[in-house]
Structure formats: C-alpha cells, structure tokens
Amino acid sequence: MKKNCSLQSKHTFQLAAKADYFFEYINTNALQVLINQHPWNKLPKRVLGGGSNTIFINNFHGLIIQPNNQGIQCIRQTPEYVDLLVQAATNWDDCVAYCVSKGYSGIENLSAIPGTVGAAPVQNIGAYGAQLSDVFVYLDTINLKTGEIKRFNSKQCHFNYRDSLFKYNQEYVITAVCLRLKRQFQPNCNYQDLSNYLVDTKQLTLTMMRQAIIDIRQSKLPDPSQLPNSGSFFKNPVVNAAHHKQLLIQFPLLPAYPIKKEFKVPAAWLIEQCGLKGYQDSGIGIDKTHALVLINYDNGSAEALLKTIRHIQQKVYNQFSIQLETEIELV
Ligand code: NAP
C-alpha cells in the first residue's frame, strides 16, 4: 500500500495528480482481504488499468486499485475455436500478439491498442471494424464493496459502441476476461486505410494483418511514451437522418457511416474542419497528424485541458450543431 502516491506516470496523459492510497495486487485473494478490512472498506475506490483511457484532473481522495495479475490460459478448444482466460493486467497488445502467433483469429484488427485486457471490456474497445464484444465470452469480477466474486456474460455487460455497464458502475474490479478466438482466419478489411494498405497483398495471413494495423496506427497516432496522450479523445457522434441530410447540404464532403437509421460521423473530421488540427494553448494541444488526439505537450494543467476540451466542443457545435462527448474518462 502506497500513501500520497503520484498518479502522473500512471496515466498516459500524465497530468500531475495524487491518490491518498494506491494498492497494486497480483493475487485476487489479497484484494478480497483488503476490501473487507478497516479502514479500506470505508474509502472511495477506483480501479486503474494501463491508464490510457483515464485522465486524473483532480487528486483522488480514496484508494486506487491496480491489478497486476497477468497470464493467458487456454481453457477449452474445439476444431473451430479456442477459449482463452486472460488475467486482467495482461497487456492488451501482448494478448493480441499471442493469439496471432498461435493462429487464433478475431482480435488482430485490435492490434496496438494501448491498455490492459481488464480495461478492454470497460469501453468495449474497437478499431477497424472489430470490437471486443465480438470475441467476448465472459468476465470475472470482485465486488469492491463486498469482496464477492461474480461472473458476467456478454448480455450482462450491456456492451454497446465503445460502451459497457462498467463505464458507469464502479462497483467491480475485473479480474479476468474469457475470449473466444477462431482457428480459421477471416479477414476484416472494410476500412479504407486497411484496404488501401493491403491492395497489392496476395494471400493475406493473420501476421500480415496484424502488421498492417500496427503500421497504419504508428503512421497516424503519436506514441504516448514520446508525447503524452490518451488516444482517441472524443467519441464519433451519431446524428439522425434529418440532421445528416441537412449537414450534407452545407458540407457535401461530410463522411458518414450508417448505423441502423442513423449516421456515425468521424469526430476527427469535424475537428479538422474547424481548423483546430495542431491547435495549442497552455501546454495542451491537438495532434498535428490526427485531430482526434489531444496531447499534453508541456506539462499542461487540468484547467488547460478542460479549457481546450470546451474550446473544441464549442467550435464543433457552432459549425455543425453536434455536441462532442469525450471517450476518455476524466476523474
Ligand atoms: P479513419 O479510418 O480515419 O476513419 C474515421 C472514423 O470513421 C473512424 O473513427 C471510424 O469509426 C469511421 N469509419 C471509417 N471507415 C469506416 C467503415 N468502413 N465503417 C464504419 N465506420 C468507419 O479512423 P482512424 O482515426 O484512423 O482510426 C481507425 C480505427 O482505429 C477506428 O476504428 C478507430 O476507432 C480506431 N482507433 C482507436 C483508438 C483508441 O484509442 N482506441 C485510437 C485511434 C483509432 P470507428 O471509430 O467506429 O471505427
């Protein structure tokens, strides 16, 4: 147990913040014991994974819990698929690399997403037409109030676009996730960047697919270890058909992707159209290459970040009547 612990290096946006208490565990029994003990049972608690989707804009007066249990275990196999039980603190991309090396397909399009396996279901991570819920079987949790162990199946997790029950309910720590991967590779190359990259590729393999995703991401997204950032900052907004039609009259080049009767619009495009790519103020800025990524260029403050968020939201709203929402959780 650490007291008065700096959180700056524990989240990838690296704002200066502290937690009253910080507890890292490998063995889930240790966590269960702690939860039921005085004074820890009375404190507000929060779980932290790799810190790539959380930004601490305030000090945290309570206990931060960080899982450190790692490992991948095959618990069931058939000729068609394998079920892997992956411990929560396993690095997500290490899990993808493992699956690709074994010839297991289903998460290769999610290569190079930062963070841990335990954090992946929280926002139902997605990229290049794939999302975690496509391969999800169940997850195991410990209740932070009672110490009870509970298993959630896919339906109980309420998965949605970059969304799940665990985004709003902080009652549980996810301890392990079970994924079902196919033994046969079924490439998913619908996204234009990917199909362009693979246009001359013959006999696409799982390894080639993973490498393509890594190359594309590296060419577009800044590395958090070089430039502190949290990946995609805003959700892609969804507008109704009438709003979409009206926007197209004014902005004929507006990209949009149908979702049922509505349209998903790339937030990056909206921000770029407002002339904000490369914008900087008080140490916080928008990446010069990808308008969806905010960067802590120069030890910026939480106030500077909030000001930048408001500025972006206001500009986008004024131009498109669309309210951008953060994908990142501000704590
Ligand atoms: P992009 O290819 O420039 O496309 C912009 C947006 O349009 C994407 O966010 C994507 O939505 C949507 N889109 C593009 N082609 C689509 C299609 N065929 N069908 C449906 N929607 C489509 O996007 P990008 O910024 O370079 O990102 C590429 C992928 O990586 C995206 O899936 C993105 O979400 C993901 N990504 C994830 C993170 C992260 O931090 N987890 C960071 C950057 C990018 P979707 O976002 O719904 O896919």
Side-chain angles (χ1 to χ4, degrees), residues 79-94:
E80 288 83 38
Y81 63 80
V82 291
D83 284 352
L84 301 179
L85 186 64
V86 191
Q87 298 301 310
T90 309
N91 175 274
W92 171 260
D93 193 51
D94 288 351

Side-chain angles (χ1 to χ4, degrees), residues 127-128 161-162 191 217 220-221 232 236 257 264 266 290:
Y128 299 100
Y161 179 65
R162 304 288 190 273
Y191 276 46
R217 286 187 71 106
K220 295 180 89 169
L221 294 166
S232 304
N236 289 324
Y257 301 91
K264 177 179 68 179
H290 202 313

Side-chain angles (χ1 to χ4, degrees), residues 8-246:
Q8 194 159 16
S9 64
K10 299 192 187 294
H11 66 305
T12 61
F13 204 80
Q14 293 183 23
L15 292 186
K18 284 185 173 179
D20 290 351
Y21 299 97
F22 189 93
F23 180 71
E24 208 178 324
Y25 73 89
I26 294 178
N27 186 330
T28 48
N29 290 338
L31 178 64
Q32 278 180 296
V33 171
L34 180 102
I35 285 168
N36 290 310
Q37 256 175 16
H38 182 80
W40 316 114
N41 53 354
K42 297 274 182 282
L43 288 179
K45 298 178 189 67
R46 207 187 150 84
V47 182
L48 182 65
S52 55
N53 206 50
T54 301
I55 299 181
F56 289 99
I57 53 170
N58 291 300
N59 291 332
F60 186 77
H61 297 298
L63 171 63
I64 300 274
I65 294 166
Q66 189 165 55
N68 201 5
N69 54 326
Q70 299 181 23
I72 302 176
Q73 188 193 357
C74 179
I75 54 167
R76 181 180 154 93
Q77 36 187 328
T78 73
E80 288 83 38
Y81 63 80
V82 291
D83 284 352
L84 301 179
L85 186 64
V86 191
Q87 298 301 310
T90 309
N91 175 274
W92 171 260
D93 193 51
D94 288 351
C95 175
V96 180
Y98 173 86
C99 292
V100 169
S101 74
K102 293 279 189 186
Y104 304 154
S105 171
I107 52 174
E108 56 282 356
N109 285 29
L110 306 180
S111 290
I113 294 185
T116 61
V117 169
V122 177
Q123 63 148 345
N124 188 18
I125 59 168
Y128 299 100
Q131 53 188 347
L132 179 94
S133 52
D134 302 339
V135 296
F136 180 89
V137 187
Y138 63 79
L139 57 78
D140 290 328
T141 64
I142 294 178
N143 186 307
L144 287 172
K145 285 190 186 135
T146 62
E148 270 170 359
I149 293 173
K150 183 173 173 187
R151 181 164 286 182
F152 288 77
N153 64 25
S154 186
K155 203 172 164 209
Q156 292 166 318
C157 291
H158 298 289
F159 286 125
N160 222 317
Y161 179 65
R162 304 288 190 273
D163 207 32
S164 80
L165 161 83
F166 302 99
K167 233 176 150 168
Y168 312 98
N169 188 330
Q170 308 287 336
E171 221 173 297
Y172 303 97
V173 51
I174 296 170
T175 55
V177 182
C178 180
L179 307 175
R180 179 164 294 174
L181 287 315
K182 294 193 183 77
R183 288 181 179 277
Q184 201 176 0
F185 174 38
Q186 288 168 351
N188 174 353
C189 320
N190 290 339
Y191 276 46
Q192 203 173 355
D193 273 357
L194 195 53
S195 53
N196 287 349
Y197 184 99
L198 295 168
V199 72
D200 294 324
T201 307
K202 293 183 183 70
Q203 291 194 322
L204 179 64
T205 64
L206 203 48
T207 309
M208 286 154 81
M209 185 65 137
R210 169 166 163 77
Q211 195 55 50
I213 301 279
I214 293 173
D215 290 350
I216 297 168
R217 286 187 71 106
Q218 282 179 350
S219 70
K220 295 180 89 169
L221 294 166
D223 177 355
S225 67
Q226 309 289 322
L227 285 173
N229 75 82
S230 304
S232 304
F233 204 93
F234 295 99
K235 286 187 196 168
N236 289 324
V238 175
V239 298
N240 63 32
H243 192 174
H244 176 242
K245 200 170 163 191
Q246 192 193 347

